[in-house]
Amino acid sequence: MRPLISIQGTLDVLTPQATFGDVYDRMVTDAGRARLHRYVLVPGGTHTDGLVPVDKDALRPMLPSFVSAFGELEDWTRHKS
């Protein structure tokens, strides 16, 4: 069994939260594996950071969240925290 961190932007129109991230998180929980999954929602995150310059007040880059999640996953798997 391997841990997984899923990251979902709340403004992602290509893979909307309600039909992708939320559904996957529910499936993992229903399968009894919630302890192996962390679901991170990025407020204002879209599918790509290329849209951020269009509206910097409403949109948030996803890259910093990916970098943080990778560090969290590394810590989680090495130190079981």
Side-chain angles (χ1 to χ4, degrees), residues 68-79:
S68 294
F70 186 79
E72 183 182 338
L73 181 62
E74 183 179 35
D75 187 53
W76 187 14
T77 55
R78 288 187 181 186
H79 307 291

Side-chain angles (χ1 to χ4, degrees), residues 2-48:
R2 295 188 175 111
L4 175 70
I5 296 176
S6 298
I7 301 173
Q8 174 77 51
T10 59
L11 297 179
D12 188 335
V13 296
L14 295 177
T15 57
Q17 175 186 337
T19 54
F20 285 87
D22 291 353
V23 172
Y24 186 77
D25 188 52
R26 250 188 331 274
M27 289 170 54
V28 170
T29 300
D30 292 347
R33 297 184 180 234
R35 66 183 180 79
L36 293 171
H37 184 241
R38 295 183 187 173
Y39 181 35
V40 178
L41 291 174
V42 180
T46 64
H47 196 77
T48 67

